């Protein structure tokens, strides 16, 4: 016998670590497929959501060999529906970024349901395929000995899968946003983030040069973050990445 939660966590961890083990995934895929066909009720909504992310990894982020482990169309649809059933609730931090972004560029949609992956994007400009992810504390691991906060496995997987689906992903970390004290600083920060991607035309200084803020700027899927406390910024209560909160960040197997 097997535990669906343990099996789900295993394949999800391999996807998050981006580590392909042919024999293990072949066995897992067979057991999962047979179980979903015989008794889908054993797989709760959180398990099916993680299975969907695992299947996205195989179909979008890996090659033809790995796609032999895809579930049947109806089983993948069952998992996808679980992903799309998640109700995203914007945090106070996200609303703060959204309000500031409205002064920079119109057209961004909040909690946009990305049709190919089923992910909810915090702030999306579908016409340009630009995704802004507002990353609160739950998106990061604890600071290491050097004070560096690495993104969690859930966060990194979402970034990778959105990028594989053709999106340019910008992260706005909570520790950057909390340091911005005025509306002008927040606007300049966002202008610096989206201007290189062609979302806006940068404002020119009187001398004709493009003006950039002196504060730090968000990066495209940056791998780690500097030391920062929680601060006194907006609330992060509903900060989420569209994955179950129980999901651990995997300890990568060799060659991640």
């Amino acid at each position: 016998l097997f535990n669906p939660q343990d099996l789900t966590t295993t394949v999800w961890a391999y996807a998050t670590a981006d580590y392909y083990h042919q024999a293990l995934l072949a066995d897992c895929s067979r057991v999962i497929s047979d179980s979903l066909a015989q008794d889908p009720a054993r797989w709760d909504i959180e398990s099916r959501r993680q299975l969907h992310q695992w299947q996205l990894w195989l179909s979008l982020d890996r090659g033809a060999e790995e796609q032999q482990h895809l579930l049947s169309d109806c089983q993948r649809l069952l998992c996808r529906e679980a992903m799309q059933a998640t109700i995203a609730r914007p945090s106070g931090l996200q609303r703060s970024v959204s309000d500031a972004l409205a002064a920079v560029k119109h057209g961004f949609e909040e909690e946009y349901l990305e049709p190919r992956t089923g992910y909810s994007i915090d702030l999306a400009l579908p016409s340009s395929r630009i995704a802004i992810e507002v990353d609160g504390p739950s998106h990061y691991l604890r600071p290491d000995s050097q004070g560096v906060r690495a993104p969690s496995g859930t966060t990194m997987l979402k970034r990778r899968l959105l990028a594989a689906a053709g999106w340019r992903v910008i992260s706005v970390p909570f520790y950057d946003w909390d340091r911005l004290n005025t509306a002008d600083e927040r606007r300049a920060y966002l202008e610096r983030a989206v201007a290189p991607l062609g979302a806006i035309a940068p404002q020119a200084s009187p001398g004709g040069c493009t003006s950039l803020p002196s504060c730090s700027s968000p990066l495209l899927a940056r791998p780690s973050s500097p030391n920062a406390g929680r601060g006194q910024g907006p609330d992060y209560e509903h900060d989420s990445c569209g994955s179950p909160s129980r999901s651990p960040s995997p300890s990568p197997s060799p060659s991640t």
Side-chain angles (χ1 to χ4, degrees):
L1 295 177
F2 67 93
N3 183 310
Q5 180 178 330
D6 291 343
L7 189 56
T8 299
T9 300
T10 298
V11 295
W12 180 88
Y14 273 83
T16 302
D18 196 23
Y19 180 74
Y20 177 68
H21 190 292
Q22 197 277 336
L24 182 143
L25 290 180
D27 287 342
C28 289
S29 180
R30 175 181 52 79
V31 173
I32 292 170
S33 179
D34 290 347
S35 178
L36 282 171
Q38 296 171 8
D39 188 9
R42 291 191 65 190
W43 302 82
D44 63 23
I45 190 168
E46 292 187 353
S47 295
R48 285 184 281 125
R49 190 182 308 140
Q50 284 186 295
L51 289 179
H52 175 69
Q53 294 170 16
W54 166 54
Q55 292 288 286
L56 286 176
W57 172 65
L58 292 174
S59 62
L60 294 179
D61 212 21
R62 304 296 301 185
E65 178 185 352
E66 289 85 343
Q67 293 185 19
Q68 66 182 300
H69 307 306
L70 291 175
L71 302 173
S72 68
D73 289 345
C74 63
Q75 291 172 347
R76 285 155 57 194
L77 178 60
L78 183 69
C79 297
R80 179 187 179 86
E81 289 173 345
M83 183 80 169
Q84 293 178 327
T86 305
I87 299 176
R89 296 180 177 86
S91 65
L93 173 65
Q94 181 175 323
R95 293 192 185 97
S96 175
V97 175
S98 178
D99 291 344
L101 187 61
V104 173
K105 172 69 179 179
H106 294 293
F108 276 89
E109 300 180 31
E110 196 164 11
E111 297 301 344
Y112 173 78
L113 184 61
E114 205 286 311
R116 189 173 183 186
T117 64
Y119 273 115
S120 180
I121 298 175
D122 291 346
L123 296 161
L125 189 63
S127 60
S128 300
R129 298 191 72 75
I130 295 174
I132 296 179
E133 286 293 293
V134 183
D135 293 333
S138 67
H139 287 258
Y140 297 93
L141 306 179
R142 293 178 182 274
D144 62 17
S145 60
Q146 303 299 316
V148 175
R149 299 186 63 140
S152 68
T154 300
T155 299
M156 291 301 295
L157 182 60
K158 181 178 182 180
R159 292 177 183 177
R160 285 207 334 265
L161 293 178
L162 287 176
W167 289 82
R168 293 172 289 178
V169 183
I170 299 170
S171 169
V172 177
F174 73 97
Y175 51 79
D176 276 355
W177 196 253
D178 282 357
R179 289 198 293 261
L180 305 175
N181 298 315
T182 69
D184 287 343
E185 288 178 345
R186 291 189 285 271
R187 183 177 65 251
Y189 178 92
L190 292 173
E191 286 176 349
R192 185 168 181 168
V194 300
L197 302 180
I200 64 169
Q203 295 180 347
S205 65
C209 298
T210 300
S211 60
L212 293 174
S214 58
C215 64
S216 60
S217 64
L219 300 178
L220 293 174
R222 103 174 133 195
S224 61
S225 53
N227 185 24
R230 194 181 188 95
Q232 300 299 318
D235 76 87
Y236 310 105
E237 184 68 25
H238 298 108
D239 179 58
S240 173
C241 204
S243 295
S245 58
R246 75 172 187 225
S247 305
S249 295
S251 298
S253 301
S255 175
T256 57

